[in-house]
Amino acid sequence: MSSKGGGSTALTRRNYRLASDTDKPKVTGLVNEKLLSDYLHHVFPASHLPRPPLASLRKPLGFQDLGAHLERLLTEGEPTEDTRDQPVDGCLGPQTVVLDHTSGFEGLLFVDDDLLGVIGHSNFSSIRATTCVYRGKWAYEVLISSQGLMQIGWCTLNCRFNQEEGVGDTPDSYAYDGNRVRKWNVTTTNYGKSWAAGDIVSCLIDLDEGTITFCLNGQSLGTAFSNIKMGPGVAYFPAISLSFKESVAFNFGSRPLRYPVEGYLPLQNPPTADLLRAHKLLGYIKTVLSTTLDTQEEKVLEKDSACWSLHGEPTTLVTLAHIFNYFAPLMCKVYLVEDVLMNFLLGILEGGGSVDEHPLIQQLLDLFWLLMEDYEVNECLKQLMMSLLRAYRFSPIIPDLGFQIHYLRLTTAILRHEKSRKYLLSNVLYPFIG
């Protein structure tokens, strides 16, 4: 997509890039330069300043300068190249943590394409993760898909399993079994509570104190093991043994942990730099939604974001196009969709009332289809819907089904949007419906 002339902005998405100076009045409507500058400074304040400067002292800001201004704001506070994606001390293995389906298993198992879900297909099969820990405090979660015989926990590389003995049946392996409500380390004793399909087990290891603890749906079951073997050459892998047709899904940190425990790190580093950017950009979007321009009085005014409409001032649309130039690619990543976008949309519905009383979600979906490339919207919607289905399935069941209703309301709101519904039914939901 080529520019019409010199002095264009850096926008490359869709057709919302500005052309030459002579075209700006056509795009920005009746907004004069001073009002536009005030508006852009309001949406994109200089965050490094202790307090915003007086309007008369601010450098004028227009759309031609906005790309560079936004880039500066987004890079503030980002990790340097030297520190970004560096492995955390105490952890060894690939930065993307998955199940070791090449050498770290015993028996016959079916492993999902994402290498995080597993189904037992023999008497008692075992598999471990690709990453181990030897120092510090670490956590991972297991989503229980079936409530049968399984032993979940930690093991060292020296552990040798077979179809009779699994995790917890050998020295230097430790497991929790919610089917029989026991803990295992060669011998076995009563421990914890019974699990059910839909529960989440958190597996915590403290290699400073030498303890292993398990939690069920965020509730600690107490210290299961203490004085575990530690020292040079000793490192622990997440591991599981499961019976025929039992199934689980692991979360080592590729998505936000449902029940994070203070002081414990997920085995996979969160995308810190991307998270920082996504939250900043979402903040700018929220400001745009809650701001309007009074061209008669030449003032920037605040308004209720619930009443925002896509069919408004051209200035607003061009501003959003600049934001989406950075925001859209981030919304293709499952961690950011779940942590940033899903929580934002759920917050819109928190006020109660019927889904139809919250038209902002429909307007936002219109905006996504307008400003994002089709492949980006498709991937974003796919990840959003899968995250909602997962959250619905693996939420604690309480008498009023409050958690499930929370996620169903947002699912319903998304499916009310015609274009999004057509894509999801054809490409994401149909395998589950059929």
Side-chain angles (χ1 to χ4, degrees), residues 39-40 43-44 63 66 288 314-323:
Y39 172 72
L40 294 178
V43 175
F44 307 102
F63 283 131
L66 183 55
V288 171
T315 302
T316 300
L317 183 59
V318 178
T319 303
L320 287 167
H322 278 84
I323 298 172

Side-chain angles (χ1 to χ4, degrees), residues 15 63 65 67 72 76 93 113 115 120 135 149 172 209 227 251 253 310 322 335-336 358 360 375 396 406:
N15 297 311
F63 283 131
D65 311 312
R72 284 194 299 272
E76 286 176 5
D113 291 342
L115 303 183
R135 183 188 302 127
L149 179 58
D172 303 332
E209 299 294 331
N227 300 316
N251 182 10
L310 178 61
H322 278 84
Y335 196 107
L336 303 179
H358 300 277
L360 179 57
Y375 74 90
H406 192 45

Side-chain angles (χ1 to χ4, degrees), residues 145-165:
S145 300
S146 62
Q147 60 189 45
L149 179 58
M150 295 178 279
Q151 294 172 198
I152 301 170
W154 303 85
C155 73
T156 66
L157 193 60
N158 293 327
C159 294
R160 295 292 178 264
F161 304 129
N162 54 48
Q163 295 197 43
E164 299 296 330
E165 294 184 332

Side-chain angles (χ1 to χ4, degrees), residues 36-327:
L36 176 61
S37 179
D38 290 345
Y39 172 72
L40 294 178
H41 276 295
H42 174 73
V43 175
F44 307 102
S47 57
H48 65 283
L49 298 176
R51 60 181 181 179
L54 296 174
S56 59
L57 301 178
R58 282 192 311 229
K59 181 180 179 180
L61 181 60
F63 283 131
Q64 284 187 299
D65 311 312
L66 183 55
H69 180 74
L70 186 51
E71 185 66 40
R72 284 194 299 272
L73 292 178
L74 292 175
T75 54
E76 286 176 5
E78 277 194 349
T80 64
E81 291 295 332
D82 294 336
T83 60
R84 186 179 298 173
D85 297 328
Q86 290 296 313
V88 179
D89 184 41
C91 186
L92 289 174
Q95 292 186 7
T96 300
V97 186
V98 294
L99 296 172
D100 188 350
H101 68 299
T102 57
S103 60
F105 69 94
E106 171 64 40
L108 184 60
L109 307 117
F110 290 154
V111 180
D112 290 350
D113 291 342
D114 63 3
L115 303 183
L116 294 173
V118 62
I119 303 174
H121 208 67
S122 58
N123 182 45
F124 203 48
S125 309
S126 301
I127 191 167
R128 65 172 183 261
T130 54
T131 296
C132 62
V133 293
Y134 61 91
R135 183 188 302 127
K137 300 164 73 173
W138 302 91
Y140 71 93
E141 291 180 342
V142 181
L143 288 63
I144 305 296
S145 300
S146 62
Q147 60 189 45
L149 179 58
M150 295 178 279
Q151 294 172 198
I152 301 170
W154 303 85
C155 73
T156 66
L157 193 60
N158 293 327
C159 294
R160 295 292 178 264
F161 304 129
N162 54 48
Q163 295 197 43
E164 299 296 330
E165 294 184 332
V167 181
D169 296 323
T170 64
D172 303 332
S173 70
Y174 305 86
Y176 163 49
D177 171 2
N179 175 262
R180 291 173 288 187
V181 196
R182 303 183 75 80
K183 61 180 180 180
W184 299 79
N185 174 233
V186 182
T187 60
T188 178
T189 55
N190 294 332
Y191 174 80
K193 298 178 182 178
S194 176
W195 61 35
D199 286 344
I200 295 180
V201 175
S202 303
C203 304
L204 315 177
I205 189 167
D206 183 341
L207 289 165
D208 298 327
E209 299 294 331
T211 62
I212 290 175
T213 303
F214 298 93
C215 304
L216 189 63
N217 298 325
Q219 300 298 313
S220 176
L221 302 176
T223 301
F225 304 100
S226 55
N227 300 316
I228 65 173
K229 184 177 180 180
M230 297 189 298
V234 179
Y236 288 91
F237 293 81
I240 185 173
S241 299
L242 63 174
S243 296
F244 182 65
K245 289 194 174 179
E246 302 301 337
S247 62
V248 300
F250 285 80
N251 182 10
F252 300 115
S254 59
R255 302 184 306 276
L257 295 182
R258 178 66 62 85
Y259 301 107
V261 179
E262 186 176 357
Y264 287 81
L265 297 175
L267 273 76
Q268 183 168 322
N269 290 342
T272 306
D274 283 345
L275 272 173
L276 182 63
R277 280 199 164 211
H279 280 293
K280 282 184 180 180
L281 291 162
L282 180 61
Y284 301 144
I285 292 171
K286 289 179 179 179
T287 303
V288 171
L289 301 182
S290 60
T291 304
T292 188
L293 292 171
D294 185 336
T295 55
Q296 298 296 321
E297 297 291 333
E298 296 189 356
K299 290 182 179 179
V300 178
L301 304 174
E302 293 187 1
K303 67 173 183 179
D304 184 359
S305 61
C307 303
W308 184 82
S309 172
L310 178 61
H311 307 290
E313 299 131 339
T315 302
T316 300
L317 183 59
V318 178
T319 303
L320 287 167
H322 278 84
I323 298 172
F324 270 76
N325 196 39
Y326 297 91
F327 189 67

Side-chain angles (χ1 to χ4, degrees), residues 349-358 409:
L349 297 175
E350 279 184 349
S354 70
V355 169
D356 293 332
E357 294 175 28
H358 300 277
R409 278 165 51 80

